[in-house]
Amino acid sequence: MIGAMLRFLSFALVAAVLVYGGYRMLSPATTKPAPTESAEKEEHSDSVAFSEAKIATAGIELAQAAPAVLHDSLLLNGAVQPNHEALLQVTPRFPGVVRDVRKRIGDRVQKGDVLAIVESNQSLTPYELKAALGGTVIDRQTTLGEYVSEQKSAFVIADLSTVWVDFSVYRRDLARVAVGDQVLIDPTDGKPGIEAKISYVSPVGSSDTQSAVARATVPNPEQRLRPGLFVTGKLILSARQVPLAVKVSALQTIENRTVVFVRSGDKFEARDVEIGQRDPEFVEITFGVLDGDMYAARNSFIVKAEMAKGGADND
């Protein structure tokens, strides 16, 4: 009887093992849990593709690395006024009444042109007011039928082929400004600046503004400088030649590296650079860019942004 029970238990144990093994074989395999995504630093390529159409759409300006002249400059505010050495005030010779007005503000006149007819109070005969200088009528202080006298000018004529540009120089900068210094005048008319030289520095200053006048006498053949308007001037204090430079706007920073995006084929490459001297427009490059390399000079931040996204060329 005992032997029969042992055989039964052995059979039951073997059956249980077989059933468990079959269950394990038929059960789907469990997958290991996916590891948590690490906050590893994304690696970016040092180049990015840019088609010509994309460059144009983004407004990226391409320029060529080349030697340049760096300027130490002083930015000044100025005002245009007539050259007082070529200014004429026309005053009646005798008091009387204006019977005719021939010229108005803005009219160009030649020497000897009649400006107005005045009837003398003394003789009751008319006489002519004439221009003793060729130029432009910039002021008129008389009207038809008005009484005029020698106490006040009736017309002001200016030869605007040259004008004065008076710059305000604050006292802290006066020691840096001298007669003969070169100044680049910007009339803000969208055209290139006008080169001139300082011809006069006032020996006295203004107590209200704590500044003094530095004046440039400027040729004005195209009438780009109009009396009464404000301009800016960049006074050149010194100039130094550097063997290679790019525009300051080309510099970008990637992962604490200073780079310039150089055009190579249909891509921009981020070139690590070492910089030297600079002025407001250009910066010297001592390493990383070669003479003649084309680079992104304006809107270079757009290239940086595309490179950060992985370089997809989405036109």
Side-chain angles (χ1 to χ4, degrees):
M1 183 175 180
I2 294 175
M5 289 193 62
L6 289 174
R7 287 194 297 272
F8 175 79
L9 291 174
S10 298
F11 176 80
L13 180 60
V14 171
V17 170
L18 292 173
V19 169
Y20 180 76
Y23 172 78
R24 292 286 295 171
M25 291 177 64
L26 296 174
S27 300
T30 58
T31 57
K32 293 183 180 181
T36 305
E37 292 184 2
S38 62
E40 295 180 353
K41 185 178 182 181
E42 183 182 1
E43 295 184 358
H44 300 300
S45 171
D46 275 347
S47 66
V48 61
F50 258 78
S51 66
E52 296 296 331
K54 189 170 185 178
I55 290 174
T57 302
I60 297 172
E61 175 191 345
L62 296 178
Q64 193 171 46
V69 177
L70 304 183
H71 298 99
D72 181 16
S73 59
L74 180 64
L75 192 63
L76 301 172
N77 294 316
V80 183
Q81 61 172 317
N83 182 345
H84 288 197
E85 295 176 354
L87 190 71
L88 173 68
Q89 299 197 25
V90 181
T91 303
R93 290 174 294 159
F94 310 105
V97 177
V98 178
R99 295 304 183 191
D100 188 17
V101 178
R102 303 281 180 86
K103 301 296 181 181
R104 290 164 176 78
I105 295 176
D107 287 350
R108 301 291 297 272
V109 298
Q110 301 296 325
K111 183 178 179 179
D113 284 355
V114 177
L115 306 175
I117 305 294
V118 179
E119 183 182 275
S120 171
N121 278 358
Q122 295 177 352
S123 62
L124 299 180
T125 57
Y127 66 91
E128 298 175 333
L129 280 181
K130 292 184 178 181
L133 173 76
T136 302
V137 178
I138 63 171
D139 193 18
R140 193 188 78 179
Q141 295 294 328
T142 186
T143 58
L144 187 64
E146 182 181 2
Y147 175 80
V148 294
S149 71
E150 66 275 16
Q151 304 298 320
K152 185 178 74 170
S153 63
F155 294 86
V156 179
I157 298 173
D159 180 359
L160 299 180
S161 60
T162 63
V163 293
W164 284 354
V165 179
D166 285 354
F167 295 103
S168 296
V169 183
Y170 291 109
R171 60 186 304 170
R172 65 175 178 271
D173 297 318
L174 280 170
R176 307 170 68 189
V177 181
V179 172
D181 285 348
Q182 185 179 4
V183 61
L184 184 64
I185 300 169
D186 183 7
T188 63
D189 58 0
K191 298 180 181 180
I194 300 172
E195 294 185 1
K197 290 187 176 181
I198 298 298
S199 57
Y200 166 81
V201 178
S202 174
V204 298
S206 167
S207 59
D208 293 333
T209 62
Q210 291 297 292
S211 65
V213 170
R215 175 176 297 146
T217 302
V218 187
N220 192 35
E222 298 179 1
Q223 306 290 298
R224 290 178 61 193
L225 298 171
R226 297 174 181 267
L229 298 184
F230 294 113
V231 296
T232 58
K234 185 166 70 174
L235 187 73
I236 308 302
L237 301 175
S238 65
R240 53 193 180 279
Q241 180 83 30
V242 294
L244 189 65
V246 300
K247 291 188 176 181
V248 172
S249 56
L251 298 182
Q252 294 293 336
T253 302
I254 298 179
E255 298 173 358
N256 296 323
R257 300 151 46 208
T258 301
V259 301
V260 170
F261 297 113
V262 175
R263 186 73 168 162
S264 177
D266 62 348
K267 294 184 178 181
F268 282 109
E269 296 179 353
R271 297 267 190 93
D272 291 6
V273 296
E274 295 179 4
I275 61 176
Q277 305 175 79
R278 67 167 67 196
D279 67 9
E281 186 176 3
F282 288 99
V283 58
E284 179 186 12
I285 300 296
T286 59
F287 173 81
V289 175
L290 300 177
D291 190 355
D293 281 347
M294 297 297 296
Y295 65 94
R298 182 167 60 90
N299 289 344
S300 59
F301 66 90
I302 297 178
V303 182
K304 176 181 176 180
E306 286 296 312
M307 191 169 290
K309 290 193 298 185
D313 190 8
N314 299 319
D315 289 333

